[in-house]
Amino acid sequence: MTHVCSGGFTGTVLTLRAPAQTRPLRLQHSTTECRYRGQGTDRSKVPEYKRHTSDTGSPEVQIAQLSARVIQLTGHLQTHKKDFASRRGLLAALSTRKSLMQYLLKKDRPAYERIIRELEIRPLKVQAGRNVIIKLQEGQSLEPERVHQTDATPESS
């Protein structure tokens, strides 16, 4: 069918289809399902390190919470080997825990020894100063062992 417009254009008439039924937009995953909410984390050892009932900020409590998270993430990564986002979270938790352990080692050595013994955490390899290595054996307290100096300092004569 040919149609002539008032402007002199001739052509076929286009018919418009009815709009398709639109569904309301729905996200594949809601944000609450994607984010970690503490499922599967065993925090039963955390209350032992609290200094008072509402203590959440002391280094001992934070180390215990991070250790629980590390254990949970390690188990998750054993089944989901290619989950690189969780691997990054694990590395971040380990880094934070290491910093807290270094702080605790400097400020309160008996608390540090207690925490690594009870939570079964490997002791720090290098203390705050250079060339100091810790060796821990069963039943011994931590005693630093001085290692040879790597930076040669001239001796005054």
Side-chain angles (χ1 to χ4, degrees):
M1 164 188 219
T2 305
H3 179 69
V4 178
C5 288
S6 60
F9 175 76
T10 60
T12 58
V13 178
L14 296 175
T15 58
L16 298 175
R17 288 193 300 185
Q21 289 183 343
T22 58
R23 284 185 262 156
L25 292 176
R26 200 177 81 198
L27 296 175
Q28 291 290 335
H29 301 285
S30 71
T31 55
T32 56
E33 293 172 6
C34 295
R35 297 189 66 197
Y36 170 73
R37 299 284 182 201
Q39 299 89 353
T41 305
D42 179 25
R43 296 183 180 216
S44 61
K45 294 183 180 181
V46 174
E48 298 173 17
Y49 299 100
K50 288 188 175 186
R51 296 178 182 172
H52 49 82
T53 56
S54 61
D55 182 18
T56 58
S58 66
E60 297 92 344
V61 171
Q62 290 184 55
I63 290 171
Q65 288 174 340
L66 286 168
S67 295
R69 179 78 173 127
V70 164
I71 291 169
Q72 187 267 334
L73 278 172
T74 303
H76 171 79
L77 287 171
Q78 286 175 347
T79 56
H80 305 281
K81 295 184 186 329
K82 294 190 177 186
D83 188 355
F84 297 108
S86 293
R87 187 175 312 268
R88 182 171 183 251
L90 174 65
L91 292 174
L94 286 170
S95 175
T96 306
R97 186 177 78 172
K98 180 180 177 183
S99 298
L100 287 167
M101 287 174 59
Q102 286 174 341
Y103 172 80
L104 197 59
L105 179 64
K106 283 194 296 188
K107 297 295 181 182
D108 190 2
R109 193 177 188 107
Y112 170 78
E113 292 176 4
R114 177 178 163 239
I115 229 164
I116 63 168
R117 185 174 49 252
E118 292 177 1
L119 293 178
E120 299 174 0
I121 300 173
R122 221 177 14 197
L124 296 172
K125 290 182 181 176
V126 178
Q127 284 186 14
R130 284 187 178 175
N131 305 324
V132 179
I133 298 176
I134 298 174
K135 292 185 178 180
L136 182 69
Q137 295 172 352
E138 191 65 35
Q140 291 182 342
S141 69
L142 295 174
E143 289 302 321
E145 177 183 309
R146 292 264 173 210
V147 182
H148 63 85
Q149 289 282 351
T150 56
D151 300 328
T153 56
E155 295 180 15
S156 52
S157 308

